[in-house]
Amino acid sequence: MEISVIIPCYKSSSVLKTVLAELKLVLNTVSHEIILVDDGNNYNEKLALYNLEKQFENVKALQLDRNYGQHQATYQGCVIAKGKFIVTMDDDGQHNSDFILKMQNYLITSGNDLVYARFIEIQEAIWRKIVRKLLRNSNESKSSFRIWTQAINERLINSGISDELLDKKLAKLTPSIGYFDVVHRKSLLKKSRYKLKDYFKYLKQTF
């Protein structure tokens, strides 16, 4: 299998069908799997994810026993991913899947082990931009839209699950990291699922 796409999902069932339809169009020329990680959703959200699993070919829904947060949910998806290349992206449509194959090509030609999307302009609320800057997550960001090799994925899995942020773990696994310019889009969700305190909790973990 060429590509595994891992999408941690939390309160996003209203837009996931759109996200998946776009992904399937982009990846129709390569062998792939899409792993939807159910990060402790309520019953209706869980049901929606499993309906999408039935509706779309090569889509898997992985259920977690509680809400672990984006980084740990992504890690759990990595454990079952079978692709030569691992792609991680958000569930709200902000990450443009048109760039996946371009990022893959850049990863291969640059010789890097890991490539992050570097957003040209962030499309989000001002207060979130401020927090993002505090997280040192501007144009030199380590975003959740990334691609890495299966070799790095095996090292990641072998390192074991922990409370450490995924990007910190990845940085320890390889110094060969690249960045690829990507157009950032507005979220398809009408209302943010996260509160300001959630971002500052993440900020505390980052340092």
Side-chain angles (χ1 to χ4, degrees), residues 8-44:
C9 302
Y10 184 64
K11 297 182 180 179
S12 57
S13 63
S14 62
V15 301
L16 272 175
K17 186 174 181 178
T18 300
V19 172
L20 287 176
E22 182 182 79
L23 262 173
K24 298 298 286 186
L25 283 175
V26 170
L27 299 176
N28 67 351
T29 60
V30 299
S31 59
H32 67 275
E33 63 179 355
I34 301 171
I35 302 171
L36 305 178
V37 185
D38 169 17
D39 189 19
N41 285 289
N42 62 33
Y43 175 79
N44 288 335

Side-chain angles (χ1 to χ4, degrees), residues 183-196:
V183 175
H184 193 258
R185 303 186 299 192
K186 290 183 178 180
S187 173
L188 295 175
L189 293 170
K190 295 181 180 180
K191 185 177 180 181
S192 175
R193 299 155 291 175
Y194 305 103
K195 298 178 180 179
L196 185 59

Side-chain angles (χ1 to χ4, degrees), residues 113 152-153 155-157 159 168-175:
D113 296 322
I152 292 300
N153 200 57
R155 291 186 215 169
L156 176 64
I157 295 168
S159 70
K168 283 189 174 183
K169 297 189 74 168
L170 289 168
K172 292 176 182 178
L173 296 175
T174 179

